[in-house]
Amino acid sequence: MSLNRSQAKLNHMKLNNVTVERWQENKADDFLALLKTSGVTCTDQIWKEKKLFYCTESFRTFIAYFHGEPCAWATSYVKNDVAILANAFTQESLRGRGCQLALLNARIEDALTQGSELILTDVILESVSQKNCYSVGFNSDGTRQVWVKS
């Protein structure tokens, strides 16, 4: 899906008890700890090698809080005038409360502030993510199929 700067229509509806903040490099270890709550595994050695890529100026990390507790996250990669939105996840027990819509709005607003003219993302067809993206002005650019051997 794609969104041009001129098509963005952020949805600033008040989401009860949901706030979003962007984590900087000093929160990279906290980000890994949060990722691990979703089942992600990462050895200390791999994290030592990869840590410098997270929570940076180009690979931006956003955390949603529900009642002050971190419960969802998403990232964006910003380079020149293009932003790519990716890696969104919400803790199972807190889905359906608007965390991802809040994160989507925060990342779009951030990308526009950084000078992005084009924002790209991918979603699963007919998902809540696709609905959220349509609500803020994204257009569908194509369909990718994944074939699975049964």
Side-chain angles (χ1 to χ4, degrees):
M1 300 185 84
S2 66
L3 175 68
N4 290 317
R5 173 181 283 278
S6 62
Q7 297 169 314
K9 50 183 180 185
L10 296 177
N11 183 344
H12 286 293
M13 68 182 209
K14 178 70 174 148
L15 299 169
N16 291 337
N17 304 306
V18 177
T19 58
V20 174
E21 70 179 41
R22 185 173 152 247
W23 282 5
Q24 307 288 331
E25 291 177 44
N26 64 335
K27 299 281 273 182
D29 288 327
D30 295 330
F31 183 56
L32 174 62
L34 190 57
L35 288 175
K36 286 182 175 182
T37 68
S38 70
V40 168
T41 59
C42 182
T43 66
D44 291 342
Q45 182 58 37
I46 289 174
W47 184 243
K48 184 178 177 183
E49 295 170 12
K50 303 291 184 186
K51 178 180 175 178
L52 65 117
F53 297 112
Y54 290 86
C55 304
T56 66
E57 282 304 307
S58 58
F59 190 79
R60 302 162 83 78
T61 306
F62 295 83
I63 308 300
Y65 293 79
F66 185 73
H67 288 290
E69 292 296 319
C71 62
W73 54 89
T75 62
S76 63
Y77 178 76
V78 179
K79 183 158 182 163
N80 301 325
D81 64 349
V82 177
I84 299 171
L85 310 184
N87 305 317
F89 181 83
T90 301
Q91 297 288 356
E92 184 84 29
S93 64
L94 292 168
R95 291 185 179 163
R97 300 184 193 259
C99 295
Q100 285 303 325
L101 182 57
L103 286 164
L104 180 62
N105 280 299
R107 291 181 296 156
I108 292 169
E109 194 164 20
D110 179 70
L112 296 175
T113 300
Q114 295 299 309
S116 296
E117 293 294 329
L118 178 64
I119 303 171
L120 304 170
T121 193
D122 62 342
V123 296
I124 295 173
L125 287 173
E126 300 177 8
S127 66
V128 172
S129 296
Q130 185 180 42
K131 178 184 166 197
N132 285 340
C133 285
Y134 281 140
S135 77
V136 295
F138 274 90
N139 293 305
S140 181
D141 291 326
T143 303
R144 179 185 73 182
Q145 292 183 332
V146 178
W147 294 88
V148 179
K149 184 177 179 180
S150 53

